[in-house]
Amino acid sequence: MKHLIDIRDLSVEELNSLMDTAIDIKNNPHKYADKCRGKKLATLFFEPSTRTRLSFEAAMYELGGNVLGFSEAASSSSAKGESVSDTARIIGCYADIIAMRHPKEGAPLVASMKAGIPVINAGDGGHNHPTQTLADLLTIKIKKGDFDNLTVGLCGDLKYGRTVHSLIAALSRYSNIKLVLISPEELKVPWYVIKDVIVPNNMTYVETKSLEDAMSELDILYMTRIQRERFEEKEEYERLKDSYVLNLSKLKNAKDDLCILHPLPRVNEISVDVDLDKRACYFEQALNGKYMRMALILKLLDIKSQTEETSVSEKIVDSIVCQNPRCITSIEQELPHRFKLTDAVSNTYRCIYCEAKAKND
C-alpha cells in the first residue's frame, strides 16, 4: 500500500491489521509516542473541516511528528491558480506524507501521482472518504465484535454522501451484510454504487423512504446530514434538509444493542436527547478516527521508500471527455481525460479520477 485514495485500496487483511494497531494504540499510547519523531505530515485542506483535519493533526502529534499545511483553499497558492499537480510536487519536497481534502473528485488521486510521498484522501467532493470509513469500521468492530451478518441502515443523503459510498464499499468485503438504504427519492444511492459494488458482491439491499419502518431490524444505524454544499440549487436543499430527524421516540422499537453512527458534523438530524442514550456511538466514533489515522500514518510511512507514481488499469482510453462538473478535470485543463474499462460485458468505462460513467456508453 503506497497511498489511500479509496477504501478498496485496502485488503481485508490490511483493514484487520490497521484495526489491531489502532486498538493497541488506544490501549498503549506510550508505545507509539515517538514513532514518527522527525517526520512531517502536510494537511492540504481545500475544504473546511474540523474533525478530519484536527484528528489528522492530533494523530501525527501523538506519534511524535510535526504538522504543516493549510485549512482552506484561500490560504494556499491554489487561490493564485496553482494546480493540484504542482501543489503536490512542491509539498512532496517539504513533508513525508500528505492528507488532502478537496471539493473536486479525483484530486487526491492526482496528488498521489505527482507528490512522490504517500497521499491520504481525506475526502474528495461527493466521491470518497476512506479514513472516515476506517473510523466507522473500528467502532463497529469494538461494538459488535465482527462485521458478518449485520443489518446496516444508511439514512439521509445517500447520493452525495461520500462517507456512505466508502462504507458500502468496505462492508462489501464481509459476509451476509444487509443494507437498508433510507433516503428521499432525490438523494438515493447512485446507481453505479448498486451496480458496481452492491450487486457484484451479493449484498442484500432494500430502498425505503421510512426510517421508522426500518428501525426494528437494524444492528447499525448510520445517520448523515443533508449536505448544503453539494446542492447546486438552494431551493432543493431547503426542501430536503429536514427529511430525517432521529429522536428518542423513534428509537422505541430499536434493538437494545443498536449502534448509532454519524460521520459528523450534524445539523439537526440527530436530536441532542439521543446523545445520552447508550446506543449513541458517534462521539466515540470520532475519537476512534484519531486512532485509525495514527495506524494508517504508521503503515504508510513504513513503506514510504517504495512510493512511486500511482499506476492505473491497463485498459485505459483517452478519447473520452469526463462530463462530471465535480471532477478534478473540470478545473485542471491540462489533466488527461482517462477512462478505464470496468465492465467488459457492457463495455462500461469510468473516469479514473471521479468514477463517473462515460456519457457515450
Side-chain angles (χ1 to χ4, degrees):
M1 178 175 59
K2 303 168 186 177
H3 311 281
L4 180 59
I5 306 302
D6 185 312
I7 195 66
R8 289 167 291 186
D9 294 339
L10 298 171
S11 67
V12 171
E13 292 73 21
E14 287 172 322
L15 286 171
N16 290 337
S17 176
L18 285 172
M19 285 186 279
D20 289 343
T21 300
I23 290 171
D24 193 49
I25 292 171
K26 184 175 184 177
N27 294 333
N28 304 286
H30 61 280
K31 288 170 50 178
Y32 298 87
D34 294 312
K35 289 288 187 180
C36 288
R37 186 166 299 280
K39 303 297 183 184
K40 296 185 289 294
L41 166 72
T43 53
L44 311 185
F45 277 67
F46 295 82
E47 272 190 325
S49 171
T50 301
R51 275 147 302 281
T52 304
R53 181 174 63 84
L54 294 183
S55 68
F56 265 114
E57 293 184 1
M60 193 58 166
Y61 284 131
E62 292 184 27
L63 290 169
N66 293 295
V67 178
L68 54 95
F70 51 83
S71 59
E72 58 180 351
S75 61
S76 75
S77 289
S78 67
K80 304 174 184 178
E82 184 174 62
S83 68
V84 166
S85 297
D86 284 358
T87 298
R89 286 179 185 271
I90 294 300
I91 300 302
C93 300
Y94 305 147
D96 299 286
I97 186 168
I98 290 171
M100 173 186 278
R101 170 167 290 187
H102 200 285
K104 291 296 183 178
E105 297 165 7
L109 175 60
V110 171
S112 74
M113 293 173 171
K114 304 297 182 180
I117 59 176
V119 173
I120 301 170
N121 181 2
D124 61 332
H127 190 211
N128 281 312
H129 195 351
T131 63
Q132 177 61 52
T133 303
L134 294 179
D136 303 340
L137 292 176
L138 180 59
T139 308
I140 294 171
K141 181 179 178 65
I142 291 171
K143 295 298 180 180
K144 296 296 183 181
D146 201 355
F147 299 98
D148 296 334
N149 306 310
L150 294 176
T151 298
V152 180
L154 301 159
C155 180
D157 180 1
L158 309 189
K159 179 179 180 180
Y160 300 112
R162 57 193 173 197
T163 61
V164 169
H165 304 164
S166 290
L167 182 56
I168 290 174
L171 292 175
S172 70
R173 315 284 189 84
Y174 299 97
S175 300
N176 197 29
I177 296 288
K178 179 181 179 180
L179 300 177
V180 182
L181 307 175
I182 308 160
S183 72
E185 185 69 26
E186 298 88 343
L187 296 176
K188 292 172 63 175
V189 166
W191 173 243
Y192 75 84
V193 174
I194 294 175
K195 180 177 180 293
D196 296 346
V197 181
I198 295 176
V199 172
N201 289 286
N202 299 313
M203 301 178 79
T204 301
Y205 77 98
V206 295
E207 295 180 293
T208 180
K209 297 178 183 178
S210 174
L211 173 60
E212 290 86 343
D213 290 349
M215 187 68 74
S216 63
E217 65 174 314
L218 302 180
D219 299 303
I220 306 291
L221 173 58
Y222 197 90
M223 295 293 297
T224 66
R225 70 185 172 94
I226 308 300
Q227 303 176 86
R228 180 178 56 215
E229 64 270 27
R230 304 300 175 208
F231 285 81
E232 295 182 3
E233 300 294 334
K234 180 181 177 181
E235 293 75 13
E236 185 180 16
Y237 167 74
E238 291 294 331
R239 181 170 58 83
L240 296 172
K241 67 178 182 178
D242 295 324
S243 296
Y244 301 99
V245 178
L246 180 67
N247 53 38
L248 286 177
S249 66
K250 292 179 182 176
L251 288 170
K252 62 183 179 181
N253 294 323
K255 294 180 179 179
D256 289 339
D257 63 347
L258 173 69
C259 178
I260 304 170
L261 302 178
H262 192 307
L264 300 176
R266 66 175 166 186
V267 181
N268 65 342
E269 61 277 0
I270 299 182
S271 174
V272 294
D273 64 2
V274 177
D275 293 354
L276 297 179
D277 191 287
K278 66 179 183 179
R279 293 167 289 191
C281 302
Y282 30 90
F283 293 116
E284 179 181 350
Q285 176 186 3
L287 176 59
N288 287 336
K290 180 185 71 172
Y291 298 127
M292 286 300 281
R293 291 178 176 105
M294 291 173 75
L296 179 62
I297 289 168
L298 288 173
K299 173 71 173 176
L300 289 173
L301 287 178
D302 281 344
I303 59 168
K304 66 180 178 64
S305 61
Q306 301 171 17
T307 301
E308 58 188 34
E309 185 165 310
T310 299
S311 62
V312 294
S313 169
E314 293 181 357
K315 296 181 179 179
I316 297 290
V317 299
D318 57 10
S319 58
I320 305 172
V321 175
C322 186
Q323 302 298 319
N324 178 8
R326 298 185 300 276
C327 183
I328 186 64
T329 57
S330 69
I331 63 169
E332 302 209 353
Q333 305 300 321
E334 77 285 356
L335 285 174
H337 286 251
R338 295 177 178 173
F339 276 68
K340 59 184 174 182
L341 182 65
T342 58
D343 188 335
V345 175
S346 62
N347 198 36
T348 297
Y349 284 84
R350 294 194 180 279
C351 175
I352 69 165
Y353 305 108
C354 70
E355 297 187 90
K357 187 178 178 182
K359 190 175 182 180
N360 59 349
D361 275 3

